[in-house]
Amino acid sequence: MPVVVEGVPELKKALKKFAPDLLKEMNTEIRFALKEVTADAKAKVPVSAPGRLTNWNDNGIAPQSRVLGRRAFPKYNSSVIRKGLTYSMGRQKRNPQGYASLYTLFNKSPVGAIVETAGSQNPYGRRQKANRKYGESFKNIGNSNNPNAGAIFVGAMNDVGALKKYDNKSRFRGRLLYAAYAENNGKALDATMRAIEKAAKAFNMRAALKRVA
Amino acid sequence: MTNIRIDIASEFKDKGFKAAEKRTRSLTRRFDDLSKTAKRTFISIAGVQAIRKSVTAFLESEKQAQRLRTQLAGINLEFASPMVTKYMNATALATGKASGELSDAFVKLSQATGDVTTAQELLQTALDISAATGMDLGSISIALQRAYKGQTSALTRLNIGFTKNNLQGKRFDEILGQINKRFGGAQAAAAGTFAVKVERLSEAVQQAKEAFGEGFVRSLDNSKVSIDELQTSVINLGKALGSLAALGTSIAQNIGNAFTSLYESIPFQAIFKLFEQLTRAGGFIVTGELIPSFDASAARKAGDERRKNEISARNDLRRKNALIKAEQKLITTKKTGLTDEQKLKRAGTVFDMENIQIVAALQGRINEEQRLRLVALLAINNDIADAADKTTSAILALQAPMLNTLGIQIKASDNASTVVNKIIDAQTKLFLVNAGISNIPKAKNPFEDWDEVMKNIIKNLDAIAEKITKMPSASTTATATSMTSISTPSGTTTTSSIAAPTGLGAVARGEYPRTAEVLASVIASNYAPDLVTAALGMGAVSRGEYSGYVPTPYSAGMGAFGRGEYGAPTVIVNVAGSVTAEADLAETIRNSLYDFQKSGGLINIEAVAI
């Protein structure tokens, strides 16, 4: 669960106007903390497709979906995954519940998301049409003729690393970004909060000194 | 982009939620308005239905009256129709019987009797029997009709205690007497019962309906409201009702508006006004129906008026509240702006070098007045008016003695601006005084013509000298041709002859012993320095004061001579004749040198060469 704070955008505005050095310092500290997580996540990305899924490697040919108008299943490309593991220090769009993220870590690439979350819903893979019962809906059923395709794929992804929750309350599980954040043990969060507090304190102290003067 | 993300820190923004709440409230208010409109509409519909019922009742009543008139006309009693109708209505109100029923009974009886009065008596008897037995009036009236014509058997079928044998052979008068004796007063007695009272009330309502219907139709017929417009309004009402049922609440507001417009349309309002007027004219107090009575109508009208006033007042209040809110918002915005401005200013002063310098200066070694001045400057820079005023007042108090010398009197109540104004006034006056002084004519310098005077003196002296020269020679001759002998460093001696003033030469020559004596004394006392310089020509030559004088090659040697570079100078003064003693002349020269020195001239080796 993210920490809900108040007044950070206002603080950033004030710092930008009156103490740009403090803002720079704060951003540097936060950036360092966030980069640590993304760097750990990037380090988990294997160069080639995990397991023995050699045909999944990106050979430079753009994949095409068999269904018209749908996006094809992306090929494995480690540089694309690494590039998608990033962070943002700007305020994000507000969600329907009214919360807007101030500092965010992302796994942006679709292939990165597949590696990240494969098996989080079905630990042994999705059912395939090969073992679909007659009359059963095709919903959430894979198109493979291999009934063990899902399990094989998830097993291959587990070579990257085990699925981890990034905190005890979260339902999200992953093996790249989430795992890196879980292994970070909240250091990034602490560093971020500390940097904000430090900047706020320094700014207030300057103002107080000025008032005394 | 995928939705795989981790939010490190978030903030909660409730702006949208407030907007949603506001919209929900607005929607609820609209539904309330709709319910009010619908209520009003359904009341209108009920009113229309009541009108329809009234008109129907009136038409039925009119039909009965027409039938009564026709039947009375058949027995030549048409003239009595209005009175009979009036009687019927009164009887109906008194007994609770329907006027139609009474009318039918009365027609039957009148057909038998051919007389209105007898028919009325028989009708009363029939009413008594009906009240006593509970039988319907029609059957009794038929039996009485037949009995009146001699067929008494019909009375036996009524089962009212008469047998065929009892009635046989008796006249109708006797039979009627027995019946009245047996049933007389039954109707009056029954009229006091609650049931009959209710019937009477119902009959009153029925008559009111008929009367209203009659009045409505007649007034409509006489009014300017066209049937076409009325039909259109009624059709519109039907359409609106249909739309209401079909469209549901999602477009409730539109339907409400449709009903409102229909309700407020001219024909509809005309109908309602007519309705009210008729009700008032009738003066009926009717209950149990949706027909508004006079009181109800007035109450409704008053209620409408009150509602309108309330709505108007509410709208006014809402507008005022909106204005107040807008004003408060503006004030808040201004306050926030001021606060922000102050904050920004305060924060901005962190890097204000000027203030920093002032504060640094305050920490140095300064006297009280300087401290006060710095504090005042700090206060002025930071717009702290109170402190600035106090400190400037203190500075002015310290400056008071100095200002007094300028003619400025400072009071304790004077603030800085007052004092500054006083200073400006004083300075202005001073400037004016200075300007006046500058315009005063320049004073005459008494020594202005001194050079001219001196020239004249010298000129006169020259003239005197010339005259002296031209005088006959005396025995005594003065030789002053060789005044100095200069030994050069090479050992050669050069003798320079410097021409002395002519007059002096003559004096020196002793050509005018007395004149020379006088001149010597004058020269010694008044013109010694210049004269000596001029006479000897040495200092002036060396200083170059006489541009017209061309220095001889020996002139340069004089300085060197004076500085002792060529050994000690030898000055030989030969005094010929008896002009003065040698010692006196030397003393005179020495004194002249002293005087020269006193007047600022330099007497030293470098500057003077004798």
Side-chain angles (χ1 to χ4, degrees):
Chain A
M1 288 291 287
V3 176
V4 179
V5 293
E6 283 182 0
V8 173
E10 290 77 9
L11 174 69
K12 283 166 85 173
K13 272 184 195 171
L15 289 176
K16 188 178 179 184
K17 194 159 191 175
F18 303 115
D21 57 325
L22 289 179
L23 178 66
K24 197 174 175 183
E25 190 181 345
M26 183 182 84
N27 284 343
T28 306
E29 289 175 12
I30 294 171
R31 189 178 290 114
F32 181 79
L34 299 180
K35 260 189 176 178
E36 200 174 342
V37 179
T38 55
D40 287 348
K42 284 174 184 176
K44 291 176 182 294
V45 180
V47 178
S48 59
R52 289 179 293 175
L53 304 175
T54 50
N55 283 334
W56 192 32
N57 281 320
D58 189 2
N59 53 8
I61 300 168
Q64 286 190 341
S65 174
R66 283 181 291 181
V67 181
L68 189 66
R70 286 190 65 178
R71 192 169 54 177
F73 192 79
K75 290 284 190 181
Y76 184 87
N77 189 328
S78 60
S79 64
V80 171
I81 297 173
R82 286 197 189 98
K83 202 175 175 183
L85 289 164
T86 181
Y87 63 92
S88 168
M89 293 169 63
R91 184 160 52 176
Q92 302 296 308
K93 192 178 172 185
R94 190 178 59 173
N95 68 8
Q97 286 75 38
Y99 292 95
S101 178
L102 300 172
Y103 299 100
T104 322
L105 297 164
F106 292 109
N107 184 352
K108 288 183 176 176
S109 65
V111 63
I114 290 166
V115 176
E116 174 93 42
T117 60
S120 61
Q121 297 294 321
N122 301 299
Y124 301 105
R126 204 164 50 156
R127 287 176 63 203
Q128 302 298 320
K129 70 177 181 181
N131 52 8
R132 183 182 75 88
K133 291 175 184 173
Y134 180 76
E136 191 182 353
S137 169
F138 279 92
K139 193 178 179 185
N140 294 327
I141 288 183
N143 286 322
S144 178
N145 290 321
N146 179 2
N148 297 321
I152 292 168
F153 186 80
V154 172
M157 292 303 108
N158 284 335
D159 287 355
V160 177
L163 287 167
K164 288 184 180 176
K165 279 186 179 181
Y166 74 76
D167 61 26
N168 291 331
K169 294 175 185 174
S170 174
R171 65 185 174 85
F172 299 110
R173 295 187 300 161
R175 49 176 71 86
L176 294 178
L177 188 69
Y178 290 154
Y181 189 73
E183 288 162 7
N184 189 259
N185 289 323
K187 280 191 285 182
L189 175 63
D190 287 347
T192 305
M193 293 296 116
R194 211 165 35 239
I196 292 168
E197 280 180 13
K198 184 181 162 189
K201 204 176 284 181
F203 184 68
N204 289 333
M205 196 176 287
R206 279 191 190 178
L209 280 174
K210 182 58 203 166
R211 276 198 292 275
V212 170
Chain B
M1 194 175 81
T2 63
N3 58 355
I4 295 177
R5 51 188 280 176
I6 298 172
D7 299 330
I8 303 289
S10 300
E11 65 165 352
F12 181 67
K13 304 278 281 183
D14 60 348
K15 189 180 173 186
F17 293 94
K18 284 181 180 172
E21 189 183 346
K22 192 178 173 184
R23 284 177 188 163
T24 309
R25 204 163 43 237
S26 171
L27 188 65
T28 308
R29 198 180 296 132
R30 286 188 178 188
F31 271 110
D32 290 346
D33 292 343
L34 172 67
S35 65
K36 285 176 189 170
T37 308
K39 196 185 287 179
R40 198 165 53 183
T41 305
F42 288 124
I43 288 169
S44 304
I45 293 165
V48 171
Q49 288 176 347
I51 291 170
R52 187 177 60 76
K53 284 182 182 176
S54 297
V55 171
T56 308
F58 163 68
L59 293 176
E60 190 64 31
S61 168
E62 185 70 15
K63 201 188 290 179
Q64 287 177 1
Q66 183 62 33
R67 195 164 64 237
L68 180 63
R69 266 197 306 274
T70 307
Q71 290 177 359
L72 288 175
I75 54 174
N76 297 321
L77 292 174
E78 190 179 2
F79 67 92
S81 177
M83 290 179 290
V84 170
T85 305
K86 198 175 177 181
Y87 168 72
M88 289 297 121
N89 290 335
T91 308
L93 286 173
T95 61
K97 294 287 183 187
S99 59
E101 195 179 354
L102 285 173
S103 179
D104 289 342
F106 184 79
V107 167
K108 285 169 188 165
L109 293 173
S110 61
Q111 282 174 348
T113 60
D115 179 13
V116 173
T117 309
T118 311
Q120 285 178 351
E121 288 175 4
L122 289 177
L123 182 62
Q124 186 59 48
T125 304
L127 287 169
D128 285 340
I129 296 168
S130 176
T133 61
M135 295 172 69
D136 67 293
L137 190 61
S139 305
I140 296 167
S141 59
I142 289 170
L144 285 175
Q145 180 197 27
R146 289 181 181 175
Y148 188 80
K149 289 183 178 177
Q151 298 176 10
T152 56
S153 58
L155 287 173
T156 58
R157 291 193 200 101
L158 292 175
N159 298 322
I160 55 175
F162 293 104
T163 61
K164 198 173 182 178
N165 295 329
N166 288 341
L167 297 174
Q168 198 170 15
K170 287 185 179 175
R171 289 181 299 157
F172 183 71
D173 296 342
E174 292 171 359
I175 295 170
L176 190 62
Q178 286 181 5
I179 291 171
N180 286 338
K181 192 176 178 182
R182 187 175 294 179
F183 299 106
Q187 175 60 40
T193 63
F194 184 73
V196 175
K197 280 180 182 175
V198 170
E199 285 178 359
R200 289 172 66 188
L201 194 58
S202 298
E203 181 55 25
V205 171
Q206 184 62 26
Q207 287 197 11
K209 282 165 72 176
E210 290 171 9
F212 172 76
E214 181 185 3
F216 177 73
V217 173
R218 290 191 194 286
S219 300
L220 193 63
D221 192 39
N222 296 330
S223 71
K224 293 178 181 177
V225 177
S226 71
I227 295 298
D228 293 338
E229 283 185 8
L230 191 59
Q231 283 177 337
T232 308
S233 297
V234 171
I235 290 165
N236 287 339
L237 179 62
K239 282 182 182 175
L241 284 169
S243 301
L244 177 66
L247 298 177
T249 54
S250 62
I251 52 169
Q253 188 61 37
N254 294 331
I255 294 167
N257 291 337
F259 277 125
T260 306
S261 62
L262 180 64
Y263 179 75
E264 290 172 354
S265 64
I266 294 170
F268 218 83
Q269 288 296 319
I271 291 167
F272 272 101
K273 282 178 183 172
L274 192 64
F275 184 82
E276 282 180 18
Q277 285 170 2
L278 288 170
T279 311
R280 289 181 188 193
F284 296 112
I285 299 172
V286 183
T287 59
E289 291 285 346
L290 283 169
I291 303 168
S293 65
F294 176 80
D295 292 339
S297 169
R300 187 179 60 77
K301 197 172 183 184
D304 282 348
E305 193 68 26
R306 192 175 62 247
R307 267 194 297 279
K308 277 182 186 174
N309 291 335
E310 280 176 3
I311 289 166
S312 174
R314 205 177 296 133
N315 287 337
D316 288 345
L317 191 63
R318 207 171 283 150
R319 275 196 294 274
K320 281 179 187 172
N321 286 338
L323 284 172
I324 290 166
K325 272 185 183 175
E327 195 177 350
Q328 284 174 347
K329 195 175 178 183
L330 196 66
I331 291 166
T332 312
T333 312
K334 277 185 181 175
K335 277 183 183 173
T336 312
L338 283 172
T339 313
D340 289 346
E341 196 179 341
Q342 285 172 354
K343 282 179 184 174
L344 289 174
K345 203 169 181 180
R346 201 182 299 144
T349 51
V350 172
F351 305 104
D352 191 340
M353 293 308 294
E354 194 177 351
N355 284 340
I356 289 167
Q357 286 171 357
I358 293 169
V359 172
L362 277 169
Q363 292 168 352
R365 288 186 177 179
I366 50 175
N367 60 27
E368 283 307 311
E369 187 181 342
Q370 287 169 337
R371 184 176 298 282
L372 272 175
R373 285 180 185 280
L374 286 170
V375 172
L377 191 58
L378 196 64
I380 290 165
N381 279 348
N382 291 290
D383 295 337
I384 308 169
D386 192 29
D389 188 51
K390 283 179 181 172
T391 47
T392 48
S393 298
I395 292 165
L396 289 170
L398 285 174
Q399 295 292 325
M402 191 186 75
L403 292 171
N404 280 336
T405 59
L406 295 174
I408 299 163
Q409 300 293 330
I410 296 178
K411 297 175 187 173
S413 60
D414 286 349
N415 57 17
S417 57
T418 311
V419 174
V420 168
N421 287 334
K422 284 182 177 179
I423 291 169
I424 289 168
D425 286 345
Q427 289 299 312
T428 307
K429 285 175 186 170
L430 188 64
F431 168 74
L432 292 172
V433 170
N434 288 339
I437 288 170
S438 67
N439 291 330
I440 293 171
K442 193 175 180 182
K444 187 127 178 109
N445 184 4
F447 302 102
E448 188 178 21
D449 301 329
W450 182 250
D451 291 342
E452 195 65 29
V453 170
M454 284 302 294
K455 281 179 185 175
N456 288 334
I457 290 169
I458 292 168
K459 194 176 175 182
N460 291 335
L461 282 173
D462 287 345
I464 291 166
E466 191 178 355
K467 283 180 181 177
I468 291 169
T469 309
K470 287 176 181 177
M471 282 181 179
S473 302
S475 55
T476 306
T477 56
T479 56
T481 52
S482 178
M483 292 190 73
T484 54
S485 297
I486 301 167
S487 299
T488 61
S490 58
T492 58
T493 304
T494 303
T495 304
S496 175
S497 177
I498 300 169
T502 311
L504 185 59
V507 171
R509 284 193 302 272
E511 292 174 5
Y512 302 100
R514 292 194 59 82
T515 306
E517 189 179 347
V518 170
L519 268 175
S521 66
V522 169
I523 290 165
S525 61
N526 295 320
Y527 307 109
D530 291 337
L531 192 57
V532 168
T533 306
L536 299 178
M538 306 308 277
V541 168
S542 66
R543 290 194 298 273
E545 290 175 356
Y546 298 98
S547 57
Y549 175 76
V550 180
T552 62
Y554 300 109
S555 299
M558 301 304 277
F561 199 65
R563 290 192 294 271
E565 292 172 8
Y566 300 100
T570 304
V571 179
I572 302 168
V573 178
N574 295 317
V575 179
S578 57
V579 176
T580 184
E582 187 180 334
D584 291 337
L585 184 59
E587 188 181 353
T588 301
I589 291 168
R590 190 171 60 247
N591 289 336
S592 297
L593 285 172
Y594 289 154
D595 289 335
F596 176 71
Q597 194 174 8
K598 282 178 187 174
S599 67
L602 290 172
I603 306 295
N604 54 32
I605 294 169
E606 291 291 329
V608 178
I610 298 173

